[in-house]
């Protein structure tokens, strides 16, 4: 919440009452620190402003310290990597230029509409660098503003680019919160009354892009642990640094791996806001400490398995498990998918089986069911059954029964699953000790059927012992 105050020489208080104001606080702190501008943290001052909101920290500052000139300079420095004109100026520092450098300068000019408009008619040839330097310097503010507000991974990803550094807007400038004023808006308000629609927007929301994590990621994150300004700034700094140092993973997997190693700065329930360049809105999910501990327990597990389902979707086991862990969702459907994948990949059957067995153990631990002894029994029964079928020269029955059990489980037809397991027990002349627990409550103890089906594997007895 932004509040006008009369507090010594300061006139504004910004408190992180929701994630938007929290992100604005983090961005503003970076801005003030960059210029060495004086501001105060609410919890650090003994005498509080008269009209502050109790229970929230905040920052106290002078509104006159926020200017468009300083804002653009800060944006140029903070997102320097994406400032095309800076890249051009760096190249032009040379005294002599190769053909590659000359081509690169001309290509960079063409890549941005604002630069093309200013320099498009002048082709760089290696002898006219002064024209390029002077044109960029004379129009620097215009160039920065256009590059920053139109960058898909910069301001445009977070806010409506037409509202940059504006005030008194009728709707919030953030993506997903913004409404086109030129279109009908009566359906936004109560009883289709436009007058009943309320929205808030403040200039400080322009600092939200500086609060989110690494702009080189297609999906960026903000951790809203608004216990204090100190925790907000320090947590997001550490979070962003860890994301930067995590390589060779997609954005969601990076997030999961960072959360696994975040115990030094996240030791409580926390809200995480995400913004993808592929979506015109923000997403949020709540990470509970209980689930975060479960996620950290997975750090030693090998969950590397990726399979193409179609052109638009790749199944990533690690990602699927991590997201279900955080969302408190069991692994039943993932286990069934892995059991079905067993028949699709002749070369990787053993690897798929080992990952499936690991998932079953994780699933049982998440459920809190005390059936680990029965799980071991089910795996043993599956192994012994496979061995017996091989001895009976009926190894072709292994995959047949395995597929029937998996099909019944996929259809949630537990009566059918019981019939198949009983039929197999009679065929091999063996008693399955785990079956009585499964019989009592098949829905609750379906992991026993998962484990048994996973252990049915058509290999030699020697290899079967090795896999079990």
């Amino acid at each position: 919440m932004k509040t006008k105050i009369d507090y010594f020489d300061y006139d504004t208080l910004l408190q992180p009452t929701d994630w938007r104001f929290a992100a604005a606080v983090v961005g503003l702190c970076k801005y003030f620190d960059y210029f060495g501008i004086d501001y105060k943290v609410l919890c650090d001052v003994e005498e509080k402003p008269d009209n502050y909101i109790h229970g929230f920290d905040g920052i106290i500052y002078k509104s006159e310290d926020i200017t468009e000139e300083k804002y653009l300079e800060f944006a140029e420095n903070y997102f320097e990597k994406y400032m095309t004109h800076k890249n051009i100026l760096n190249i032009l520092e040379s005294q002599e230029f190769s053909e590659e450098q000359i081509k690169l300068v001309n290509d960079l000019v063409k890549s941005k509409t604002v630069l093309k408009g200013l320099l498009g008619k002048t082709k760089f040839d290696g002898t006219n660098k002064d024209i390029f330097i002077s044109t960029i310097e004379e129009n620097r503010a215009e160039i920065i503003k256009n590059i920053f507000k139109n960058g898909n991974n910069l301001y445009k990803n977070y806010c409506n680019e037409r509202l940059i550094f504006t005030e008194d807007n009728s709707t919030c400038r953030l993506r997903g919160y913004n409404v086109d004023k030129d279109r009908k808006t009566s359906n936004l308000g109560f009883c289709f009354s436009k007058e009943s629609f309320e929205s808030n927007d403040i200039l400080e929301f322009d600092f939200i892009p500086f609060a989110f994590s690494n702009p080189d990621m297609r999906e960026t994150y903000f951790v809203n642990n608004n216990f204090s300004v100190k925790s907000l700034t320090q947590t997001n700094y550490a979070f962003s640094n860890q994301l930067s140092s995590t390589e060779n993973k997609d954005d969601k997997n990076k997030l999961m791996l960072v959360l696994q190693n975040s115990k030094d700065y996240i030791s409580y329930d926390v809200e995480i806001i995400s913004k993808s360049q592929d979506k015109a809105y923000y997403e949020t999910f709540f990470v509970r400490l209980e689930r975060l501990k479960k996620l950290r327990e997975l750090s030693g597990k090998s969950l590397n398995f990726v399979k193409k389902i179609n052109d638009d979707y790749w199944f990533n086991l690690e990602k699927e498990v991590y997201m279900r862990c955080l969302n408190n969702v069991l692994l039943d459907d993932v286990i069934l998918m892995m059991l079905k994948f067993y028949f699709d990949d002749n070369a990787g059957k053993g690897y798929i089986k080992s990952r499936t067995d690991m998932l079953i153990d994780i699933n049982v631990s998440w459920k809190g069911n005390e059936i680990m002894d029965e799980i071991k029994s089910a795996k043993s029964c599956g192994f012994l059954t496979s061995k017996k079928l091989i001895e009976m020269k009926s190894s072709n029955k292994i995959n047949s029964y395995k597929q029937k059990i998996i099909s019944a489980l996929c259809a949630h037809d537990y009566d059918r699953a019981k019939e198949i397991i009983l039929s197999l027990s009679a065929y091999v002349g063996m008693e399955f000790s785990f079956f009585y627990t499964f019989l009592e409550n098949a829905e609750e103890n379906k992991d026993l059927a998962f484990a048994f089906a996973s252990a049915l594997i058509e290999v030699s007895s020697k290899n079967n012992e090795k896999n079990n």
Side-chain angles (χ1 to χ4, degrees), residues 224-239:
N224 183 27
N225 58 337
N226 57 349
F227 297 105
S228 68
V229 170
K230 182 179 180 181
S231 65
L232 266 175
T233 53
Q234 290 185 348
T235 297
N236 281 284
Y237 177 78
F239 198 74

Side-chain angles (χ1 to χ4, degrees), residues 269-424:
D269 296 350
V270 71
E271 180 187 33
I272 295 180
I273 313 298
S274 68
K275 180 63 181 72
S276 170
Q277 294 178 38
D278 302 321
K279 297 177 181 176
Y281 52 87
Y282 293 83
E283 295 178 296
T284 181
F285 59 96
F286 200 74
V287 180
R288 297 193 178 276
L289 182 59
E290 176 191 354
R291 303 310 302 176
L292 199 52
K293 288 178 179 178
K294 295 288 186 186
L295 182 66
R296 288 166 183 161
E297 290 173 3
L298 296 175
S299 60
K301 308 288 186 182
S302 177
L303 297 168
N304 297 321
F305 180 79
V306 178
K307 181 177 177 62
K308 182 179 180 180
I309 306 300
N310 54 49
D311 291 338
D312 299 320
Y313 175 59
W314 285 74
F315 175 84
N316 186 317
L317 179 60
E318 189 175 51
K319 183 177 178 179
E320 297 289 342
V321 174
Y322 287 172
M323 291 306 295
R324 280 164 176 74
C325 179
L326 284 183
N327 291 315
N328 198 19
V329 177
L330 296 173
L331 299 175
D332 296 348
D333 62 326
V334 181
I335 292 170
L336 285 171
M337 287 188 75
M338 291 296 288
L339 286 170
K340 289 189 287 185
F341 290 157
Y342 176 84
F343 297 102
D344 298 337
D345 190 345
N346 291 324
K349 287 185 182 296
Y351 186 82
I352 292 173
K353 179 188 178 301
S354 65
R355 298 292 82 81
T356 306
D357 290 342
M358 184 184 298
L359 291 176
I360 294 167
D361 292 343
I362 293 170
N363 206 36
V364 172
S365 69
W366 286 1
K367 290 179 180 179
N369 291 350
E370 297 180 358
I371 59 169
M372 284 310 298
D373 288 340
E374 286 87 345
I375 290 290
K376 292 178 181 177
S377 172
K379 290 179 181 179
S380 177
C381 287
F383 160 64
L384 293 173
T385 299
S386 299
K387 186 178 179 181
K388 183 67 180 261
L389 287 169
I390 292 170
E391 291 173 353
M392 295 169 64
K393 301 189 184 304
S394 298
S395 58
N396 60 311
K397 298 281 188 181
I398 297 175
N399 279 345
S400 175
Y401 274 103
K402 186 184 183 92
Q403 283 183 319
K404 288 178 183 178
I405 295 171
I406 293 171
S407 296
L409 293 172
C410 286
H412 304 288
D413 189 349
Y414 300 109
D415 288 337
R416 175 61 179 157
K418 293 173 189 175
E419 290 175 6
I420 296 166
I421 295 172
L422 274 175
S423 172
L424 179 56

